[in-house]
Amino acid sequence: MHRINSVLFKFKCAFKGLFIAFTSDNSFKIHFAATISVIFSAILLEFSKSDWMIIILLIGLVLVAELFNTAIEFLVKLFTDDYHELAEKILDISAGAVLLSVIISIIIAVFIYLPYLL
């Protein structure tokens, strides 16, 4: 029984983390809004099963990258509010990871959307 409670507690913490990211990070809100737009357009365009799988994977890639970025931002703020060159590099690299995931997602999305739009 203790093991089940532990698993449930971990899920509770995970959902709490999603809630914190959604309520405290504007970038996560923007990515989430983009996710809703992508899902809505995919429904309207009647994506194939394989296209849905790719789009869901890309959405996951971007949202997970943003969650890690948000966590890293909180971690840096935990240690300093003052400017520090290494802190800046950490935050820039983390933001760069999100940007790269978005660029990759957009490139692949163009290949998926074009046949439906033409």
Side-chain angles (χ1 to χ4, degrees):
M1 187 67 173
H2 182 266
R3 181 180 167 96
I4 292 173
N5 289 336
S6 176
V7 171
L8 293 177
F9 179 75
K10 289 178 183 181
F11 272 104
K12 180 181 175 188
C13 291
F15 281 111
K16 181 179 174 185
L18 289 173
F19 180 77
I20 291 167
F22 188 78
T23 57
S24 67
D25 184 57
N26 287 333
S27 296
F28 190 81
K29 290 176 190 174
I30 291 167
H31 290 299
F32 190 79
T35 295
I36 300 303
S37 301
V38 168
I39 290 171
F40 185 69
S41 65
I43 291 169
L44 288 177
L45 294 171
E46 299 177 355
F47 273 16
S48 69
K49 185 177 179 179
S50 59
D51 288 340
W52 267 109
M53 290 188 292
I54 294 167
I55 289 296
I56 290 168
L57 187 63
L58 295 173
I59 288 169
L61 171 70
V62 172
L63 292 179
V64 167
E66 188 58 54
L67 285 169
F68 277 120
N69 183 49
T70 301
I72 290 168
E73 288 173 356
F74 278 121
L75 187 61
V76 168
K77 289 176 187 174
L78 175 67
F79 288 102
T80 184
D81 282 330
D82 299 328
Y83 174 81
H84 193 285
E85 183 180 345
L86 288 177
E88 181 181 32
K89 287 180 181 181
I90 290 167
L91 294 172
D92 288 349
I93 291 167
S94 178
V98 176
L99 178 62
L100 186 59
S101 73
V102 170
I103 290 169
I104 291 167
S105 296
I106 289 171
I107 291 168
I108 295 171
V110 167
F111 284 106
I112 292 173
Y113 274 84
L114 274 180
Y116 290 96
L117 296 173
L118 296 179

